[in-house]
Amino acid sequence: MPLSNEQFDGLMREYEKTRNINRRLTEEKIDTIEKKLPSLREYDNKIATLSIQQAKSIMDGKNRQAEDIADEIAMMRVRRRSELESIGFKEEDLEPIYTCVDCRDTGFINRLTGNKEKCHCLKKRELEILYDQSKIKDLLKKENFSKLSYEYCTGEDLTTLQTAVRICKEFINDFDVNYTNLVLYGEVGTGKSFLSCCIAHELIESGRSVLYMSAPQLFETLAQYQFGNEREGRSEFMKDLQECDLLIIDDLGTELSNAFVASSLFTVISERHNRNHPTIINTNLSLIDIRDRYSDRTLSRVTGNYKFVQLSGPDVRQLL
């Protein structure tokens, strides 16, 4: 869900603070270099003056003169680089310092089309705030692979769980190279939500953006943006749904069933599939149930693009 205006303004103030710190560090670094190489500023001023003369010569049609100036600029750059190296520095050492080089600590990337889009660093910081104010952060402390136990499963149930764990770990290891969607299905308490939390924990720890929502929460939020008084944030919320690295929909089938829910589910999973962004669905539903609740086209989308991972056994929550 999108941040409030106050939260977003707070992030922008953090970016401004970062830029000021890095600007000061850059100035201190260049000052140190200039003290060791006083001629550096002279080189820069001379190159700047020659560049203006070159541009004027080109505009006046004096191409030969412009070429001679270009040669002189090239020679000046060679001398400048050589003197920098003589005191143990490179030209790169004069470049501005950025915490994020992609957006230059602005939070946004300018595209050739003229449009701005949020940088990956801003998206990550937004999600960190959302994680902090949600229960998922505390949940992932309790539900991760370090807490995994096989003691409540035997026989075929144990084999099924071991297979599911292997598939989940392969999903994590291959996350950047193989586009895969998962449906974790089985009876209540067999570990579907636990394993999806294990995946979320590992991916979040490695810097990926993961949005974890129960089906009732997801569709209720979509309905509020569609029909309620919170329509202003709908586009941002839909963007989060479509573009986060991984979307986990927990307990599909426990929400109220209606045409809006059916249409919304198809839209969400279709848009993510079109972008090759993985989705995990946890459900107690059978394939027939999915068809009856959400439509044939949703069933076709799921069966055609998702790997089904079965879980079985006793309701572990009843045994704890």
Side-chain angles (χ1 to χ4, degrees), residues 184 186-189 192-194 196 212-217 219 248-256 280-285 293-294 317:
L184 304 182
E187 296 300 320
V188 173
K192 303 181 296 297
S193 298
F194 178 86
S196 63
Y212 190 114
M213 301 187 75
S214 70
Q217 179 189 19
F219 297 119
I248 299 175
I249 304 175
D250 194 27
D251 286 334
L252 184 69
T254 59
E255 74 288 344
L256 293 175
I280 295 176
I281 296 174
N282 303 328
T283 186
N284 302 334
L285 300 177
R293 288 179 66 96
Y294 307 107
R317 285 173 287 194

Side-chain angles (χ1 to χ4, degrees), residues 38-62:
S39 59
L40 179 63
R41 189 175 294 275
E42 295 176 14
Y43 278 119
D44 290 340
N45 290 338
K46 182 64 175 177
I47 290 171
T49 300
L50 288 171
S51 297
I52 293 173
Q53 293 175 3
Q54 182 189 23
K56 188 175 184 304
S57 297
I58 293 174
M59 292 177 64
D60 293 341
K62 300 177 181 179

Side-chain angles (χ1 to χ4, degrees), residues 113-260:
T113 58
N115 295 326
K116 280 185 177 182
E117 68 176 45
K118 290 180 182 178
C119 182
H120 57 84
C121 67
L122 176 55
K123 293 178 182 178
K124 182 179 179 183
R125 293 171 85 168
E126 286 182 325
L127 283 169
E128 286 172 351
I129 292 174
L130 294 176
Y131 290 144
D132 285 338
Q133 68 187 34
S134 70
K135 296 180 179 179
I136 188 173
K137 197 166 186 179
D138 293 332
L139 180 64
L140 297 185
K141 291 178 182 178
K142 298 181 293 184
E143 300 194 357
N144 55 71
F145 282 122
S146 69
K147 308 295 184 182
L148 177 65
S149 172
Y150 296 99
E151 65 177 299
Y152 298 107
C153 293
T154 58
E156 291 185 8
D157 295 335
L158 176 59
T159 301
T160 299
L161 177 58
Q162 290 171 333
T163 300
V165 171
R166 176 180 55 78
I167 293 173
C168 289
K169 289 186 175 180
E170 288 175 353
F171 177 87
I172 296 166
N173 294 334
D174 298 340
F175 192 79
D176 291 328
V177 293
N178 289 328
Y179 164 62
T180 306
N181 302 298
L182 300 179
V183 174
L184 304 182
Y185 72 101
E187 296 300 320
V188 173
T190 51
K192 303 181 296 297
S193 298
F194 178 86
L195 284 181
S196 63
C197 280
C198 290
I199 293 173
H201 178 270
E202 295 298 315
L203 293 179
I204 290 172
E205 287 293 305
S206 63
R208 274 75 165 202
S209 57
V210 180
L211 191 55
Y212 190 114
M213 301 187 75
S214 70
Q217 179 189 19
L218 170 61
F219 297 119
E220 181 181 345
T221 303
L222 286 171
Q224 287 174 351
Y225 285 129
Q226 184 73 17
F227 307 113
N229 299 321
E230 302 181 23
R231 298 186 186 185
E232 185 177 340
R234 185 177 189 276
S235 61
E236 282 297 313
F237 180 61
M238 291 303 298
K239 199 169 185 180
D240 288 341
L241 282 180
Q242 294 165 3
E243 297 185 0
C244 62
D245 294 329
L246 174 65
L247 171 65
I248 299 175
I249 304 175
D250 194 27
D251 286 334
L252 184 69
T254 59
E255 74 288 344
L256 293 175
S257 179
N258 55 49
F260 172 77

